[in-house]
Amino acid sequence: MFDVVTIGSATLDVFIESDSANIVSVSSKDKRSDFMSFPYGSKVEIDDFSRNLGGGGINTAMNFAHLGLKTSTVVKLGADEISPVIYQKLVESNIDTSNIIKSKEGLTGFSIILVSFQGDRTVLAHRGVNSSIKEKDVDFENIKSKWIYVAPLAGESNRMLDKIAAFAKENGIKLSINAGTTAIKKGEKYFSKIIETADILVLNKEEASMLTKICVRPDTKNEKYSENFIHPDVIEMLKILKGTNKVNVVITDGKAGVYAYDGIKFYKAPEFPAVVRSTLGAGDAFSSTFTAAMEKYNMNVQKALECASVNAAAVVEVFGAQEGFLTFDEINEKLKTAPDFKVESIEKEKV
């Protein structure tokens, strides 16, 4: 029996870092947008270059295995030279490969990641066969696990989400979902059925806004909230997403930190201190570490937020989505070095 089975994408990621990249900001009345730009028609020097495995299914499987969980993964590989490279790396990482889907045609997912001098990135992604996982491809009888972790699914693969949720419910398997925008765009009615079965739901603030139809207003004043706690609109998002379900809801908010609600308390975790080199993979590291810590620490949301924040910070300090993973022992040692890092909480009755 596995501790966790991840379901998601597999890619070969090529990281390109160039100090020649410019960050261009364009403002309008209602919004501001930032763009990464290079001189048009010119040859641009690359300051750093690397190739790594990526994709939500692979990134999270690697992290779960590194954290000591017996891990398998459901990903789809194409009929190309990238496929055996990914397969062999999973074997070397002690990840079970019996649930890998091998396509007889099509290309494995591929991404080019342009990294700016600020550490942010623009991703040029070719989904490949990642977007064509079908129910008939998956051997559900082989998914005997304590947890199923669902990374964002693209294209046709997204149609699997409700089947996965039903399977987890029928078999008493805990379910952690980082759904992504494709599933959320199907609407509240569809997604509410998924949430009913989930134990953990992780979204970013933009995704939470899409699902709840709540926009976080600027400069909202409310005497119930200290400046160091949670915006009332985010509180409302968490309440709506939680509803009467068992799910633990987590909303990530970039540099502002992370918010969570378990039906008893609201939580806020700031960013753990880090020198950012690349933000790619931070979300996968956070959500998978949160899930692993919930299993390890008996569904303790505060402890899980601490662990997830530390591991995500370790990933952004290196060049690659899987290079900075820490073990639980290393995470706890890191926490000792940052006494000012604190996850705040408040009882729901006080909100």
PDB file of all heavy atoms in Angstrom, residues 122-147:
ATOM      1  N   THR A 122       8.619  33.265 -16.633  1.00  0.00           N
ATOM      2  CA  THR A 122       7.591  33.085 -17.659  1.00  0.00           C
ATOM      3  C   THR A 122       7.791  31.696 -18.244  1.00  0.00           C
ATOM      4  O   THR A 122       8.912  31.329 -18.605  1.00  0.00           O
ATOM      5  CB  THR A 122       7.711  34.150 -18.752  1.00  0.00           C
ATOM      6  OG1 THR A 122       7.439  35.442 -18.178  1.00  0.00           O
ATOM      7  CG2 THR A 122       6.733  33.894 -19.877  1.00  0.00           C
ATOM      8  N   VAL A 123       6.710  30.915 -18.315  1.00  0.00           N
ATOM      9  CA  VAL A 123       6.804  29.526 -18.751  1.00  0.00           C
ATOM     10  C   VAL A 123       6.154  29.370 -20.125  1.00  0.00           C
ATOM     11  O   VAL A 123       4.990  29.736 -20.315  1.00  0.00           O
ATOM     12  CB  VAL A 123       6.123  28.575 -17.746  1.00  0.00           C
ATOM     13  CG1 VAL A 123       6.252  27.129 -18.212  1.00  0.00           C
ATOM     14  CG2 VAL A 123       6.711  28.754 -16.353  1.00  0.00           C
ATOM     15  N   LEU A 124       6.911  28.840 -21.064  1.00  0.00           N
ATOM     16  CA  LEU A 124       6.387  28.471 -22.378  1.00  0.00           C
ATOM     17  C   LEU A 124       6.142  26.964 -22.337  1.00  0.00           C
ATOM     18  O   LEU A 124       7.097  26.175 -22.319  1.00  0.00           O
ATOM     19  CB  LEU A 124       7.386  28.837 -23.481  1.00  0.00           C
ATOM     20  CG  LEU A 124       7.917  30.283 -23.470  1.00  0.00           C
ATOM     21  CD1 LEU A 124       8.946  30.474 -24.583  1.00  0.00           C
ATOM     22  CD2 LEU A 124       6.784  31.285 -23.608  1.00  0.00           C
ATOM     23  N   ALA A 125       4.874  26.559 -22.269  1.00  0.00           N
ATOM     24  CA  ALA A 125       4.550  25.161 -21.977  1.00  0.00           C
ATOM     25  C   ALA A 125       3.874  24.469 -23.149  1.00  0.00           C
ATOM     26  O   ALA A 125       2.912  24.993 -23.730  1.00  0.00           O
ATOM     27  CB  ALA A 125       3.646  25.089 -20.750  1.00  0.00           C
ATOM     28  N   HIS A 126       4.395  23.295 -23.489  1.00  0.00           N
ATOM     29  CA  HIS A 126       3.724  22.398 -24.438  1.00  0.00           C
ATOM     30  C   HIS A 126       3.225  21.207 -23.612  1.00  0.00           C
ATOM     31  O   HIS A 126       4.024  20.437 -23.063  1.00  0.00           O
ATOM     32  CB  HIS A 126       4.693  21.922 -25.513  1.00  0.00           C
ATOM     33  CG  HIS A 126       4.097  20.907 -26.431  1.00  0.00           C
ATOM     34  ND1 HIS A 126       3.050  21.193 -27.279  1.00  0.00           N
ATOM     35  CD2 HIS A 126       4.399  19.598 -26.630  1.00  0.00           C
ATOM     36  CE1 HIS A 126       2.723  20.109 -27.963  1.00  0.00           C
ATOM     37  NE2 HIS A 126       3.526  19.125 -27.590  1.00  0.00           N
ATOM     38  N   ARG A 127       1.907  21.054 -23.508  1.00  0.00           N
ATOM     39  CA  ARG A 127       1.333  20.047 -22.616  1.00  0.00           C
ATOM     40  C   ARG A 127       1.608  18.627 -23.077  1.00  0.00           C
ATOM     41  O   ARG A 127       1.709  17.702 -22.264  1.00  0.00           O
ATOM     42  CB  ARG A 127      -0.177  20.259 -22.494  1.00  0.00           C
ATOM     43  CG  ARG A 127      -0.578  21.633 -21.987  1.00  0.00           C
ATOM     44  CD  ARG A 127      -0.125  21.857 -20.579  1.00  0.00           C
ATOM     45  NE  ARG A 127      -0.548  23.156 -20.068  1.00  0.00           N
ATOM     46  CZ  ARG A 127      -0.189  23.657 -18.894  1.00  0.00           C
ATOM     47  NH1 ARG A 127       0.620  22.943 -18.099  1.00  0.00           N
ATOM     48  NH2 ARG A 127      -0.599  24.838 -18.505  1.00  0.00           N
ATOM     49  N   GLY A 128       1.702  18.398 -24.386  1.00  0.00           N
ATOM     50  CA  GLY A 128       1.931  17.051 -24.888  1.00  0.00           C
ATOM     51  C   GLY A 128       0.827  16.106 -24.458  1.00  0.00           C
ATOM     52  O   GLY A 128      -0.338  16.492 -24.333  1.00  0.00           O
ATOM     53  N   VAL A 129       1.196  14.845 -24.206  1.00  0.00           N
ATOM     54  CA  VAL A 129       0.193  13.834 -23.834  1.00  0.00           C
ATOM     55  C   VAL A 129      -0.328  14.024 -22.416  1.00  0.00           C
ATOM     56  O   VAL A 129      -1.264  13.322 -22.003  1.00  0.00           O
ATOM     57  CB  VAL A 129       0.759  12.405 -24.006  1.00  0.00           C
ATOM     58  CG1 VAL A 129       1.032  12.111 -25.471  1.00  0.00           C
ATOM     59  CG2 VAL A 129       2.018  12.198 -23.166  1.00  0.00           C
ATOM     60  N   ASN A 130       0.261  14.973 -21.647  1.00  0.00           N
ATOM     61  CA  ASN A 130      -0.281  15.271 -20.324  1.00  0.00           C
ATOM     62  C   ASN A 130      -1.764  15.622 -20.381  1.00  0.00           C
ATOM     63  O   ASN A 130      -2.506  15.376 -19.429  1.00  0.00           O
ATOM     64  CB  ASN A 130       0.454  16.469 -19.701  1.00  0.00           C
ATOM     65  CG  ASN A 130       1.860  16.129 -19.266  1.00  0.00           C
ATOM     66  OD1 ASN A 130       2.104  15.062 -18.736  1.00  0.00           O
ATOM     67  ND2 ASN A 130       2.792  17.039 -19.505  1.00  0.00           N
ATOM     68  N   SER A 131      -2.185  16.230 -21.485  1.00  0.00           N
ATOM     69  CA  SER A 131      -3.562  16.719 -21.593  1.00  0.00           C
ATOM     70  C   SER A 131      -4.534  15.659 -22.098  1.00  0.00           C
ATOM     71  O   SER A 131      -5.696  15.973 -22.378  1.00  0.00           O
ATOM     72  CB  SER A 131      -3.609  17.938 -22.517  1.00  0.00           C
ATOM     73  OG  SER A 131      -3.179  17.586 -23.818  1.00  0.00           O
ATOM     74  N   SER A 132      -4.084  14.414 -22.206  1.00  0.00           N
ATOM     75  CA  SER A 132      -4.964  13.374 -22.778  1.00  0.00           C
ATOM     76  C   SER A 132      -5.056  12.126 -21.906  1.00  0.00           C
ATOM     77  O   SER A 132      -5.204  11.011 -22.411  1.00  0.00           O
ATOM     78  CB  SER A 132      -4.489  12.989 -24.189  1.00  0.00           C
ATOM     79  OG  SER A 132      -3.183  12.429 -24.142  1.00  0.00           O
ATOM     80  N   ILE A 133      -4.970  12.283 -20.577  1.00  0.00           N
ATOM     81  CA  ILE A 133      -5.179  11.142 -19.678  1.00  0.00           C
ATOM     82  C   ILE A 133      -6.674  10.846 -19.623  1.00  0.00           C
ATOM     83  O   ILE A 133      -7.488  11.715 -19.322  1.00  0.00           O
ATOM     84  CB  ILE A 133      -4.648  11.430 -18.262  1.00  0.00           C
ATOM     85  CG1 ILE A 133      -3.147  11.719 -18.295  1.00  0.00           C
ATOM     86  CG2 ILE A 133      -4.938  10.245 -17.340  1.00  0.00           C
ATOM     87  CD1 ILE A 133      -2.572  12.120 -16.952  1.00  0.00           C
ATOM     88  N   LYS A 134      -7.034   9.601 -19.907  1.00  0.00           N
ATOM     89  CA  LYS A 134      -8.437   9.186 -19.899  1.00  0.00           C
ATOM     90  C   LYS A 134      -8.654   8.134 -18.820  1.00  0.00           C
ATOM     91  O   LYS A 134      -7.710   7.494 -18.348  1.00  0.00           O
ATOM     92  CB  LYS A 134      -8.826   8.630 -21.268  1.00  0.00           C
ATOM     93  CG  LYS A 134      -8.690   9.635 -22.411  1.00  0.00           C
ATOM     94  CD  LYS A 134      -9.055   8.987 -23.738  1.00  0.00           C
ATOM     95  CE  LYS A 134      -9.018   9.993 -24.874  1.00  0.00           C
ATOM     96  NZ  LYS A 134      -7.643  10.506 -25.124  1.00  0.00           N
ATOM     97  N   GLU A 135      -9.917   7.949 -18.460  1.00  0.00           N
ATOM     98  CA  GLU A 135     -10.262   6.992 -17.408  1.00  0.00           C
ATOM     99  C   GLU A 135      -9.739   5.598 -17.738  1.00  0.00           C
ATOM    100  O   GLU A 135      -9.238   4.882 -16.866  1.00  0.00           O
ATOM    101  CB  GLU A 135     -11.779   6.965 -17.214  1.00  0.00           C
ATOM    102  CG  GLU A 135     -12.228   6.067 -16.081  1.00  0.00           C
ATOM    103  CD  GLU A 135     -13.726   6.130 -15.844  1.00  0.00           C
ATOM    104  OE1 GLU A 135     -14.360   7.131 -16.235  1.00  0.00           O
ATOM    105  OE2 GLU A 135     -14.275   5.162 -15.279  1.00  0.00           O
ATOM    106  N   LYS A 136      -9.816   5.203 -18.998  1.00  0.00           N
ATOM    107  CA  LYS A 136      -9.375   3.865 -19.396  1.00  0.00           C
ATOM    108  C   LYS A 136      -7.861   3.696 -19.279  1.00  0.00           C
ATOM    109  O   LYS A 136      -7.359   2.565 -19.234  1.00  0.00           O
ATOM    110  CB  LYS A 136      -9.810   3.575 -20.834  1.00  0.00           C
ATOM    111  CG  LYS A 136      -9.150   4.466 -21.882  1.00  0.00           C
ATOM    112  CD  LYS A 136      -9.622   4.123 -23.289  1.00  0.00           C
ATOM    113  CE  LYS A 136      -8.923   4.977 -24.332  1.00  0.00           C
ATOM    114  NZ  LYS A 136      -9.370   4.652 -25.705  1.00  0.00           N
ATOM    115  N   ASP A 137      -7.110   4.825 -19.202  1.00  0.00           N
ATOM    116  CA  ASP A 137      -5.655   4.761 -19.078  1.00  0.00           C
ATOM    117  C   ASP A 137      -5.208   4.381 -17.661  1.00  0.00           C
ATOM    118  O   ASP A 137      -4.077   3.920 -17.468  1.00  0.00           O
ATOM    119  CB  ASP A 137      -5.028   6.118 -19.418  1.00  0.00           C
ATOM    120  CG  ASP A 137      -5.179   6.492 -20.884  1.00  0.00           C
ATOM    121  OD1 ASP A 137      -5.250   5.573 -21.715  1.00  0.00           O
ATOM    122  OD2 ASP A 137      -5.221   7.699 -21.183  1.00  0.00           O
ATOM    123  N   VAL A 138      -6.080   4.622 -16.690  1.00  0.00           N
ATOM    124  CA  VAL A 138      -5.690   4.512 -15.280  1.00  0.00           C
ATOM    125  C   VAL A 138      -6.139   3.177 -14.700  1.00  0.00           C
ATOM    126  O   VAL A 138      -7.311   2.800 -14.807  1.00  0.00           O
ATOM    127  CB  VAL A 138      -6.294   5.670 -14.457  1.00  0.00           C
ATOM    128  CG1 VAL A 138      -5.871   5.567 -12.986  1.00  0.00           C
ATOM    129  CG2 VAL A 138      -5.870   7.024 -15.040  1.00  0.00           C
ATOM    130  N   ASP A 139      -5.200   2.479 -14.076  1.00  0.00           N
ATOM    131  CA  ASP A 139      -5.509   1.217 -13.395  1.00  0.00           C
ATOM    132  C   ASP A 139      -5.899   1.546 -11.950  1.00  0.00           C
ATOM    133  O   ASP A 139      -5.059   1.543 -11.050  1.00  0.00           O
ATOM    134  CB  ASP A 139      -4.294   0.281 -13.432  1.00  0.00           C
ATOM    135  CG  ASP A 139      -4.566  -1.055 -12.766  1.00  0.00           C
ATOM    136  OD1 ASP A 139      -5.725  -1.310 -12.374  1.00  0.00           O
ATOM    137  OD2 ASP A 139      -3.608  -1.843 -12.625  1.00  0.00           O
ATOM    138  N   PHE A 140      -7.165   1.843 -11.746  1.00  0.00           N
ATOM    139  CA  PHE A 140      -7.616   2.244 -10.415  1.00  0.00           C
ATOM    140  C   PHE A 140      -7.423   1.133  -9.384  1.00  0.00           C
ATOM    141  O   PHE A 140      -7.259   1.413  -8.192  1.00  0.00           O
ATOM    142  CB  PHE A 140      -9.085   2.684 -10.465  1.00  0.00           C
ATOM    143  CG  PHE A 140      -9.279   4.066 -11.027  1.00  0.00           C
ATOM    144  CD1 PHE A 140      -9.600   4.248 -12.361  1.00  0.00           C
ATOM    145  CD2 PHE A 140      -9.122   5.180 -10.220  1.00  0.00           C
ATOM    146  CE1 PHE A 140      -9.773   5.514 -12.887  1.00  0.00           C
ATOM    147  CE2 PHE A 140      -9.289   6.457 -10.732  1.00  0.00           C
ATOM    148  CZ  PHE A 140      -9.615   6.634 -12.066  1.00  0.00           C
ATOM    149  N   GLU A 141      -7.436  -0.116  -9.828  1.00  0.00           N
ATOM    150  CA  GLU A 141      -7.226  -1.223  -8.896  1.00  0.00           C
ATOM    151  C   GLU A 141      -5.836  -1.181  -8.274  1.00  0.00           C
ATOM    152  O   GLU A 141      -5.600  -1.749  -7.202  1.00  0.00           O
ATOM    153  CB  GLU A 141      -7.431  -2.561  -9.620  1.00  0.00           C
ATOM    154  CG  GLU A 141      -8.858  -2.825 -10.057  1.00  0.00           C
ATOM    155  CD  GLU A 141      -9.813  -2.902  -8.872  1.00  0.00           C
ATOM    156  OE1 GLU A 141      -9.446  -3.522  -7.855  1.00  0.00           O
ATOM    157  OE2 GLU A 141     -10.922  -2.334  -8.972  1.00  0.00           O
ATOM    158  N   ASN A 142      -4.898  -0.507  -8.936  1.00  0.00           N
ATOM    159  CA  ASN A 142      -3.526  -0.424  -8.438  1.00  0.00           C
ATOM    160  C   ASN A 142      -3.295   0.804  -7.562  1.00  0.00           C
ATOM    161  O   ASN A 142      -2.208   1.002  -7.043  1.00  0.00           O
ATOM    162  CB  ASN A 142      -2.539  -0.398  -9.612  1.00  0.00           C
ATOM    163  CG  ASN A 142      -1.113  -0.693  -9.182  1.00  0.00           C
ATOM    164  OD1 ASN A 142      -0.865  -1.586  -8.369  1.00  0.00           O
ATOM    165  ND2 ASN A 142      -0.169   0.071  -9.710  1.00  0.00           N
ATOM    166  N   ILE A 143      -4.329   1.609  -7.392  1.00  0.00           N
ATOM    167  CA  ILE A 143      -4.181   2.805  -6.549  1.00  0.00           C
ATOM    168  C   ILE A 143      -4.688   2.479  -5.148  1.00  0.00           C
ATOM    169  O   ILE A 143      -5.809   2.827  -4.754  1.00  0.00           O
ATOM    170  CB  ILE A 143      -4.931   4.014  -7.158  1.00  0.00           C
ATOM    171  CG1 ILE A 143      -4.404   4.310  -8.560  1.00  0.00           C
ATOM    172  CG2 ILE A 143      -4.747   5.256  -6.280  1.00  0.00           C
ATOM    173  CD1 ILE A 143      -5.087   5.459  -9.263  1.00  0.00           C
ATOM    174  N   LYS A 144      -3.874   1.760  -4.411  1.00  0.00           N
ATOM    175  CA  LYS A 144      -4.186   1.423  -3.021  1.00  0.00           C
ATOM    176  C   LYS A 144      -3.295   2.309  -2.152  1.00  0.00           C
ATOM    177  O   LYS A 144      -2.095   2.096  -2.049  1.00  0.00           O
ATOM    178  CB  LYS A 144      -3.931  -0.054  -2.752  1.00  0.00           C
ATOM    179  CG  LYS A 144      -4.741  -0.978  -3.660  1.00  0.00           C
ATOM    180  CD  LYS A 144      -4.501  -2.433  -3.339  1.00  0.00           C
ATOM    181  CE  LYS A 144      -5.142  -3.353  -4.359  1.00  0.00           C
ATOM    182  NZ  LYS A 144      -6.579  -3.154  -4.526  1.00  0.00           N
ATOM    183  N   SER A 145      -3.895   3.322  -1.552  1.00  0.00           N
ATOM    184  CA  SER A 145      -3.089   4.374  -0.948  1.00  0.00           C
ATOM    185  C   SER A 145      -3.840   5.039   0.199  1.00  0.00           C
ATOM    186  O   SER A 145      -5.077   5.004   0.265  1.00  0.00           O
ATOM    187  CB  SER A 145      -2.753   5.424  -2.024  1.00  0.00           C
ATOM    188  OG  SER A 145      -1.993   6.471  -1.492  1.00  0.00           O
ATOM    189  N   LYS A 146      -3.084   5.675   1.102  1.00  0.00           N
ATOM    190  CA  LYS A 146      -3.701   6.478   2.165  1.00  0.00           C
ATOM    191  C   LYS A 146      -4.213   7.806   1.598  1.00  0.00           C
ATOM    192  O   LYS A 146      -5.233   8.322   2.035  1.00  0.00           O
ATOM    193  CB  LYS A 146      -2.680   6.759   3.275  1.00  0.00           C
ATOM    194  CG  LYS A 146      -2.179   5.534   4.016  1.00  0.00           C
ATOM    195  CD  LYS A 146      -1.128   5.925   5.051  1.00  0.00           C
ATOM    196  CE  LYS A 146      -0.554   4.709   5.747  1.00  0.00           C
ATOM    197  NZ  LYS A 146       0.538   5.088   6.700  1.00  0.00           N
ATOM    198  N   TRP A 147      -3.442   8.367   0.646  1.00  0.00           N
ATOM    199  CA  TRP A 147      -3.768   9.658   0.057  1.00  0.00           C
ATOM    200  C   TRP A 147      -3.696   9.597  -1.459  1.00  0.00           C
ATOM    201  O   TRP A 147      -2.864   8.878  -2.014  1.00  0.00           O
ATOM    202  CB  TRP A 147      -2.767  10.741   0.508  1.00  0.00           C
ATOM    203  CG  TRP A 147      -2.943  11.252   1.905  1.00  0.00           C
ATOM    204  CD1 TRP A 147      -2.419  10.710   3.049  1.00  0.00           C
ATOM    205  CD2 TRP A 147      -3.676  12.413   2.308  1.00  0.00           C
ATOM    206  NE1 TRP A 147      -2.778  11.467   4.139  1.00  0.00           N
ATOM    207  CE2 TRP A 147      -3.549  12.523   3.718  1.00  0.00           C
ATOM    208  CE3 TRP A 147      -4.412  13.371   1.618  1.00  0.00           C
ATOM    209  CZ2 TRP A 147      -4.143  13.551   4.442  1.00  0.00           C
ATOM    210  CZ3 TRP A 147      -5.005  14.408   2.343  1.00  0.00           C
ATOM    211  CH2 TRP A 147      -4.870  14.487   3.737  1.00  0.00           C
TER     212      TRP A 147
END
